[in-house]
DNA sequence: CCCTGCCTGCTG
DNA sequence: CAGCAGGCAGGG
């Protein structure tokens, strides 16, 4: 489900609820969501540890532990994290429950079960989760027009595929790649190597701008997040093109078109985003 | 580059 | 019923 703005929203909602809490034990109802090590090893390694902080890298979340280790997780398509009182019935598809000392539980639910958890021990390098393969954060000062030129310049791939490539820029998914390209007036099917310097500069500026705009729009109180079971914090009312194919372009009124690029469906304006 | 698998639910 | 869904890894 979530891309960078949603993952960041979840992190901001969860952090105050779990920070300084000790994990009494972990219940792995569906151990398949634990990757890299046997589930029992994961549960034993996390048990009795205190959560000292949270982090985000691209679409990955991290929970820092008091022994220097960390939990790394990725929500993939439908993963969801909620902190709920122990007495309250877990959502359907709850696969992992972290029992916290204050009587609440950090619960991971995921209908499609694509989400994954890793445990990285103190001093260990994370070479398993995929974090090590990520490119710059969208807000990294090194994400310059020159960097984009270097990374996109020689590529035959489309610009859309490059934006989705986590090893170039971390955190952009199918929704925000469409939104960024719409704002930049660049057609998603354009070959990356065909982009002009001006277009690359435009992208370099719009990537952080667009994502921070949507992080702001996502802001939600922990109460509202919980009330909607972690489902209702999304940006749908603010999206310009994603989910709006067949509707008029908000800029020029032309009919927004659905196209398939690299197997992913994309929505763009045939008028504002010339091929 | 494309394809498949991983899962379940929703839409037409 | 087929096709699609905001992700990613692995294979040819």
């Amino acid at each position: 489900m979530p891309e960078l703005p949603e993952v960041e929203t979840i992190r901001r909602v969860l952090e105050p609820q779990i920070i300084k809490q000790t994990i009494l034990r972990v219940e792995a109802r569906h151990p398949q969501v634990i990757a890299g090590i046997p589930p029992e090893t994961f549960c034993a390694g996390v048990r009795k540890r205190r959560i000292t902080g949270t982090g985000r890298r691209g679409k990955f979340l991290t929970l820092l532990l008091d022994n220097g280790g960390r939990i790394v997780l990725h929500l993939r398509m439908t993963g969801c994290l909620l902190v709920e009182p122990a007495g309250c019935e877990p959502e359907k598809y709850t696969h992992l429950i972290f029992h916290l000392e204050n009587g609440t539980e950090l619960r991971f639910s995921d209908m499609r079960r694509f989400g994954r958890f890793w445990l990285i021990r103190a001093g260990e390098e994370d070479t398993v989760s995929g974090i090590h393969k990520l490119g710059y954060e969208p807000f990294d000062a090194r994400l310059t027009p020159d960097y984009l030129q270097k990374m996109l310049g020689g590529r035959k791939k489309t610009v859309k595929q490059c934006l989705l490539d986590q090893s170039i820029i971390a955190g952009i998914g199918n929704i925000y790649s469409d939104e960024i390209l719409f704002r930049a007036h660049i057609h998603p099917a354009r070959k990356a190597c065909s982009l002009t310097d001006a277009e690359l500069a435009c992208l370099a500026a719009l990537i952080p701008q667009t994502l921070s705009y949507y992080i702001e729009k996502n802001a939600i109180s922990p109460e509202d997040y919980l009330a909607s079971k972690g489902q209702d914090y999304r940006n749908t009312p603010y999206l310009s093109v994603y989910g709006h194919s067949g509707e008029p372009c908000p800029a020029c009124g032309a009919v927004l078109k659905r196209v398939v690029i690299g197997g992913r469906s994309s929505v763009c304006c045939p008028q504002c985003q010339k091929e």
Side-chain angles (χ1 to χ4, degrees):
Chain A
M1 128 173 68
E3 301 179 30
L4 186 150
E6 289 75 37
V7 175
E8 179 60 22
T9 301
I10 293 170
R11 192 194 68 74
R12 291 180 185 186
V13 165
L14 289 185
E15 188 181 73
Q17 305 182 64
I18 59 174
I19 198 160
K20 295 183 178 154
Q21 286 295 310
T22 297
I23 300 166
L24 300 181
R25 66 188 178 89
V26 182
E27 193 182 333
R29 298 185 167 195
H30 209 125
Q32 178 192 349
V33 300
I34 295 164
I37 54 173
E40 316 79 62
T41 314
F42 177 94
C43 295
V46 162
R47 198 187 155 127
K48 303 278 175 65
R49 299 272 59 92
R50 213 152 90 104
I51 299 168
T52 58
T54 66
R56 179 195 56 73
R57 176 83 170 90
K59 303 174 200 172
F60 290 86
L61 281 172
T62 56
L63 308 181
L64 305 176
L65 304 176
D66 62 352
N67 62 351
R70 60 199 186 279
I71 296 167
V72 174
L73 64 110
H74 197 302
L75 300 170
R76 299 280 171 95
M77 299 279 261
T78 52
C80 180
L81 288 170
L82 288 180
V83 176
E84 296 186 301
C88 139
E89 182 66 17
E91 304 315 289
K92 206 178 172 187
Y93 309 115
T94 295
H95 307 309
L96 220 49
I97 301 178
F98 296 81
H99 296 263
L100 305 180
E101 61 175 325
N102 68 354
T104 66
E105 298 176 357
L106 172 63
R107 298 168 175 172
F108 169 69
S109 64
D110 186 356
M111 187 177 70
R112 293 175 71 177
R113 225 181 300 142
F114 290 172
R116 286 294 178 271
F117 283 69
W118 296 265
L119 176 62
I120 312 298
R121 289 195 179 67
E124 263 182 24
E125 210 180 327
D126 176 2
T127 58
V128 288
S129 70
I131 278 193
H132 59 294
K133 298 180 188 166
L134 295 179
Y136 293 150
E137 281 294 303
F139 312 108
D140 193 311
R142 294 171 293 179
L143 180 54
T144 59
D146 278 353
Y147 174 74
L148 290 182
Q149 172 63 49
K150 184 167 73 91
M151 299 306 280
L152 309 195
R155 304 225 182 193
K156 292 181 187 163
K157 289 203 293 186
T158 63
V159 60
K160 161 108 179 184
Q161 290 173 298
C162 290
L163 290 184
L164 291 175
D165 185 338
Q166 303 299 300
S167 72
I168 301 176
I169 306 154
I172 301 173
N174 207 30
I175 295 179
Y176 296 109
S177 57
D178 282 2
E179 296 298 321
I180 290 163
L181 290 169
F182 173 71
R183 290 179 174 212
H185 301 116
I186 298 171
H187 193 282
R190 287 271 304 280
K191 298 290 181 196
C193 57
S194 80
L195 298 178
T196 64
D197 288 349
E199 288 173 325
L200 291 168
C202 184
L203 277 182
L206 281 172
I207 288 166
Q209 267 177 42
T210 306
L211 294 174
S212 44
Y213 170 81
Y214 283 108
I215 289 174
E216 296 310 312
K217 287 296 177 195
N218 264 352
I220 186 170
S221 70
E223 294 76 23
D224 290 348
Y225 179 83
L226 189 58
S228 70
K229 302 294 182 193
Q231 296 302 305
D232 231 21
Y233 62 98
R234 301 193 210 152
N235 277 312
T236 24
Y238 305 102
L239 298 175
S240 298
V241 288
Y242 183 87
H244 293 288
S245 83
E247 297 173 28
C249 167
C252 77
V255 177
L256 297 175
K257 236 184 121 182
R258 176 184 180 270
V259 293
V260 176
I261 293 146
R264 309 297 304 278
S265 85
S266 309
V267 183
C268 59
C269 172
Q271 204 59 43
C272 301
Q273 299 164 272
K274 293 288 190 196
E275 259 198 84

